[in-house]
C-alpha cells in the first residue's frame, strides 16, 4: 500500500519560510510540498528552485485554490496571518501558522472562529515546546520530580537586535520576542498566568527606544496555581543567544543550560573558557522546528488534535498586551 503523504503549500518565503521549506522537503518524509507563494517573485522562485518545490507564485490564493493541497504553512509577515488563516480555513485547508496569529485579539478571535466553522486543524508555531531541554522540564513537573512547582525563571536573550525596520513593525518586544517565553511559561508550569508586572530599559541602544520599543525587559509573573516567576529578555546579549530556564519546586529544582556547537573546554594560565552558545534561533532550535512540523503533519494525517492550538496562540498575545500596559502605566496588570 502506498504511504499516505500530506500535500502542502507554503505561504511566505522569508527567513522562517525557507527554514520550514528545507525541513518539509528533506527531513519530513510524510510531507509533500507542492507550491510556495511570496509577493516577491524572486523569493518564491529561489525557494522553489533551492528546495525542488514543483511550483511557485506571487499570490497565496494560488496555494489556496490548488486542488491537491491539503494543508498550508503560513510564514508571511505577522500582519497577514489572520486574514490568510480565515481564507485558508474557508478553502478547507489545514493550517500551520507561525507566531503570533495577530497583534490584536479581534483579528485572532475571527481567525479562530473561521477555523472552528470550517472544521480544519490550526497549529501555531511555538516551536520551543518541542525542544528537548524544555520538554524535560515539563516532564519533571508532570511526573512530580521536583515536587510542587514554586518559582520559575526564564532567561531569553537574543545575540543582536533585528534590523530597526523590523523592530518598528514588530509589535514590540513583548508581542514579537517575549511571546515565546509567555507560551513557555504557561506550558512549563501547566497553569495560566493571571498577573504581570513589567520593567524595561534601552540604555545601551537608544535607537530601539526611538523606534518605539525597548532593548531589555523583565516581566514578573503570578500564575493561578500560586507559582511566581520572572522572564528576562534582551535584544542584545553580546555573548550570544541565551536560552535558559530554572524551575524551583518543593522537592528540588530543574534547570537547563544553553546549547553549544561543541563540548570543548579550553584551560590556560588565565582562565577556563569555551566557545559561545549556538548563535541564534535557526541554529539553536533546528531540531524543535523539525519536530513541531512532524507533529503537525502527523496530527493531520492521523486526524488527531494538534499540540499547540489556536487558543495556545491567543493567550500569549493577551499576556503580551498586559505586559505592555504594565510597562506604560507603571503598575501590575491582572489578566
Ligand atoms: N517560530 C519562530 O521562532 C519564528 C522565527 C522567526 C519568525 N517567525 C515568524 O514568522 C513570520 C515571518 O518572519 P520572517 O522572519 O520569516 O520574516 P521575513 O520578512 O524574512 O519573511 C516574510 C516573508 O513573507 C512574505 N510575505 C509578505 N506578505 C505576504 C503574502 N501576502 N503572501 C505571501 N508571502 C508574503 C514577504 O515577502 C517575505 O518574503 C513572522 O510572523 C515572525 O513572527 C517565527
Amino acid at each position: 500500500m502506498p504511504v499516505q503523504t500530506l500535500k502542502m503549500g507554503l505561504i511566505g518565503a522569508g527567513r522562517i519560510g525557507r527554514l520550514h521549506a528545507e525541513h518539509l522537503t528533506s527531513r519530513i518524509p510524510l510531507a509533500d510540498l507542492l507550491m510556495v507563494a511570496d509577493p516577491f517573485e524572486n523569493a518564491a522562485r529561489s525557494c522553489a528552485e533551492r528546495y525542488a518545490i514543483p511550483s511557485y507564485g506571487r499570490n497565496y490564493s494560488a496555494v489556496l485554490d490548488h486542488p491537491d493541497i491539503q494543508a498550508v504553512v503560513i510564514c508571511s509577515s505577522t500582519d497577514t496571518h489572520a486574514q490568510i488563516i480565515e481564507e485558508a480555513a474557508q478553502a478547507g485547508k489545514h493550517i500551520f501558522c507561525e507566531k503570533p496569529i495577530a497583534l490584536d485579539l479581534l483579528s485572532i478571535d475571527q481567525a479562530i472562529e473561521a477555523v472552528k466553522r470550517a472544521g480544519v486543524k490550526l497549529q501555531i508555531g511555538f516551536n520551543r515546546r518541542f525542544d528537548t531541554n524544555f520538554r524535560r522540564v515539563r516532564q519533571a513537573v508532570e511526573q512530580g520530580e521536583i515536587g510542587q512547582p514554586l518559582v520559575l525563571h526564564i532567561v531569553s536573550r537574543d545575540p543582536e537586535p533585528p534590523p530597526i525596520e523590523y523592530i518598528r513593525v514588530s509589535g514590540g518586544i513583548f508581542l514579537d520576542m517575549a511571546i515565546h517565553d509567555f507560551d513557555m511559561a504557561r506550558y512549563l508550569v501547566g497553569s495560566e498566568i493571571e498577573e504581570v508586572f513589567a520593567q524595561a530599559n534601552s540604555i545601551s541602544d537608544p535607537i530601539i527606544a526611538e523606534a518605539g520599543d525597548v532593548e531589555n525587559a523583565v516581566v514578573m509573573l503570578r500564575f493561578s496555581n500560586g507559582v511566581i516567576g520572572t522572564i528576562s529578555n534582551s535584544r542584545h546579549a553580546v555573548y550570544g543567544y541565551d536560552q535558559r530556564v530554572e524551575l524551583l519546586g518543593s522537592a528540588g529544582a530543574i534547570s537547563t543550560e544553553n546549547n553549544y556547537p561543541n563540548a570543548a573546554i579550553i584551560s590556560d594560565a588565565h582562565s577556563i573558557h569555551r566557545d559561545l552558545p549556538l548563535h541564534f534561533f535557526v541554529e539553536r532550535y533546528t531540531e524543535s522546528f523539525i519536530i513541531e512540523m512532524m507533529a503537525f503533519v502527523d496530527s493531520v494525517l492521523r486526524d488527531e488534535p494538534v499540540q499547540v492550538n489556536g487558543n495556545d496562540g491567543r493567550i500569549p498575545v493577551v499576556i503580551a498586551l498586559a505586559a505592555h500596559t504594565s510597562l506604560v502605566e507603571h503598575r501590575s496588570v491582572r489578566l
Side-chain angles (χ1 to χ4, degrees):
M1 217 166 81
V3 178
Q4 195 197 355
T5 58
L6 184 68
K7 311 269 184 289
M8 303 175 78
L10 175 65
I11 296 175
R15 268 189 322 174
I16 199 84
R18 295 175 78 89
L19 180 142
H20 286 309
E22 181 177 351
H23 297 157
L24 287 166
T25 53
S26 66
R27 305 291 297 271
I28 306 176
L30 294 182
D32 190 3
L33 187 55
L34 297 185
M35 186 172 192
V36 52
D38 194 297
F40 286 102
E41 195 172 342
N42 274 346
R45 187 194 311 114
S46 68
C47 181
E49 285 171 2
R50 174 78 180 78
Y51 300 109
I53 303 165
S55 60
Y56 67 88
R58 291 177 56 186
N59 197 328
Y60 69 83
S61 50
V63 174
L64 303 187
D65 292 341
H66 195 305
D68 296 335
I69 289 179
Q70 301 159 282
V72 296
V73 175
I74 303 174
C75 297
S76 46
S77 334
T78 298
D79 59 342
T80 65
H81 291 180
Q83 176 69 27
I84 300 177
I85 289 176
E86 282 192 47
E87 290 180 38
Q90 280 158 15
K93 312 290 184 195
H94 299 288
I95 302 159
F96 176 95
C97 182
E98 266 307 338
K99 47 59 57 177
I101 301 177
L103 302 180
D104 69 283
L105 295 177
L106 181 62
S107 306
I108 294 176
D109 288 343
Q110 285 171 350
I112 291 176
E113 190 49 41
V115 166
K116 221 182 266 171
R117 263 199 314 270
V120 295
K121 295 187 194 297
L122 169 66
Q123 180 172 324
I124 304 302
F126 282 125
N127 59 295
R128 293 185 195 178
R129 288 187 183 212
F130 299 87
D131 176 75
T132 48
N133 283 357
F134 300 140
R135 284 232 147 160
R136 184 67 185 86
V137 177
R138 177 68 199 141
Q139 186 190 7
V141 172
E142 278 172 342
Q143 296 181 351
E145 288 175 89
I146 57 163
Q148 187 183 356
L150 301 171
V151 184
L152 171 74
H153 294 295
I154 295 178
V155 171
S156 177
R157 300 176 183 140
D158 286 356
E160 71 229 351
I164 205 70
E165 304 76 43
Y166 177 98
I167 288 187
R168 277 201 188 94
V169 297
S170 68
I173 198 166
F174 299 125
L175 279 160
D176 178 50
M177 185 179 161
I179 195 143
H180 276 293
D181 307 304
F182 296 137
D183 175 64
M184 192 48 51
R186 59 186 288 272
Y187 166 71
L188 292 179
V189 173
S191 175
E192 295 300 344
I193 292 166
E194 60 175 31
E195 188 173 3
V196 296
F197 181 62
Q199 294 276 13
N201 68 28
S202 304
I203 296 168
S204 71
D205 200 342
I207 294 170
I208 293 181
E210 282 162 28
D213 200 3
V214 295
E215 184 187 15
N216 308 291
V218 176
V219 183
M220 286 182 65
L221 313 167
R222 176 176 289 280
F223 294 77
S224 50
N225 66 354
V227 170
I228 54 174
T230 60
I231 295 172
S232 174
N233 291 125
S234 176
R235 293 257 190 212
H236 207 173
V238 292
Y239 54 88
Y241 198 37
D242 195 359
Q243 300 283 297
R244 291 173 288 134
V245 158
E246 186 200 63
L247 182 52
L248 172 69
S250 57
I254 182 165
S255 60
T256 64
E257 249 303 320
N258 282 315
N259 289 12
Y260 291 84
N262 60 65
I265 305 286
I266 302 167
S267 306
D268 62 27
H270 310 288
S271 68
I272 296 176
H273 54 274
R274 66 180 307 166
D275 292 338
L276 296 177
L278 288 171
H279 182 63
F280 212 168
F281 69 90
V282 173
E283 297 85 8
R284 166 65 182 81
Y285 286 116
T286 304
E287 194 192 9
S288 71
F289 285 119
I290 297 170
I291 300 172
E292 75 166 350
M293 197 56 79
M294 279 177 168
F296 172 68
V297 170
D298 276 358
S299 296
V300 176
L301 289 176
R302 294 168 193 253
D303 193 17
E304 286 172 358
V306 295
Q307 293 186 39
V308 191
N309 62 27
N311 196 41
D312 294 319
R314 182 185 193 276
I315 292 174
V317 175
V318 175
I319 302 167
L321 294 170
H324 182 74
T325 303
S326 168
L327 180 65
V328 172
E329 299 184 4
H330 305 286
R331 64 180 178 92
S332 75
V333 174
R334 291 184 70 84
L335 272 72

